[in-house]
Amino acid sequence: EARLTRPVVAGHSAGGVLATAYAARYPVSGVVNIDQPLRVGGFGEFLQRSEPVLNSDDYLKVWDTLRGGMHIDELPPSAQELVRTVSTPRQDLFLGYWKELIDAPEQADEDNSRNLAAIRAAGVPYHYIAGSAVDPGYRAWLEAALPHLLITELPGSGHFPHLAHPAEVAKVLAHFAVPAR
C-alpha cells in the first residue's frame, strides 16, 4: 500500500537478526542492526545451561541475569524506567523466542552466515550500531562477511544505544533516506 519496493529494514536486539534475515530474502535498500551480534557463541551455551530454570517457575532469574548484562544503568533515567517497566517477558514467549538458540545454536550461526552472504551478494548496505566497543574478533568476522559494512559504536549505552543516543541513531537511519520523487 505504501508502494515501498526496497525499504530500509532496521531492528534492535533479535529484531536485528530478523532485519538481517529479511534483507537476505527480499529486496531492501539497507539494513540497520542495532546491537545484535550475529554469532551466537557463549550466549547459546548460556541458554542451553539455563534451560531447566527457563522451564521452571524461576525463569525470571535467567531474564534478570540477561538484563544485568544489558547495562541499563548506563541509560538516562527515563530510558532506564522504560526498559524496566516494559521488558519482562512471559515464560512462553521467552521460551519460544530463544527455542532455536537452545535447541541448535550452531544452526543459528550458520543461518546468520548464509544471510550475510546473500546480503553481500546483493550489494546491500549494512550498518551495525553497538552500545559498547565491538569485540575485535567479532568485528573482523563481520567485516570479512560484509566488506562495505559500517559500524557505529556508541559506548555507554549498553544494549540500548537507540535510547541513550537517539540523535546519533536517527542520523544513521537518515543516511539511508531517499529523496521523495
Side-chain angles (χ1 to χ4, degrees):
E1 289 177 16
R3 296 188 177 120
L4 296 174
T5 55
R6 294 177 53 90
V8 172
V9 291
H12 167 251
S13 197
V17 174
L18 294 174
T20 301
Y22 183 92
R25 291 165 183 74
Y26 302 101
V28 300
S29 296
V31 180
V32 179
N33 173 347
I34 303 172
D35 208 61
Q36 181 57 55
L38 298 174
R39 290 177 104 182
V40 176
F43 183 65
E45 294 165 6
F46 168 77
L47 290 175
Q48 286 180 321
R49 286 191 313 272
S50 301
E51 186 177 14
V53 179
L54 287 169
N55 282 300
S56 76
D57 291 340
D58 289 333
Y59 80 98
L60 286 176
K61 289 181 179 179
V62 176
W63 179 244
D64 289 340
T65 298
L66 292 174
R67 217 170 26 181
M70 295 178 190
H71 304 285
I72 296 167
D73 57 314
E74 296 179 359
L75 298 172
S78 61
Q80 288 182 33
E81 182 63 20
L82 174 68
V83 171
R84 287 190 178 104
T85 58
V86 300
S87 66
T88 303
R90 291 188 342 232
Q91 185 177 26
D92 61 326
L93 295 176
F94 196 37
L95 286 167
Y97 193 68
W98 299 119
K99 181 173 180 26
E100 191 176 319
L101 296 181
I102 292 169
D103 293 347
E106 63 285 341
Q107 183 62 50
D109 280 343
E110 290 173 22
D111 291 346
N112 287 333
S113 292
R114 195 170 26 261
N115 289 337
L116 292 176
I119 289 168
R120 178 181 183 165
V124 173
Y126 196 100
H127 201 127
Y128 179 62
I129 300 174
S132 59
V134 178
D135 174 80
Y138 179 70
R139 177 186 286 271
W141 175 81
L142 196 55
E143 288 173 339
L146 298 168
H148 301 295
L149 168 78
L150 293 174
I151 296 177
T152 298
E153 294 176 343
L154 298 172
S157 55
H159 186 53
F160 301 94
H162 56 299
L163 297 179
H165 303 282
E168 288 86 345
V169 174
K171 285 179 190 173
V172 169
L173 295 170
H175 171 77
F176 287 103
V178 178
R181 298 174 198 216

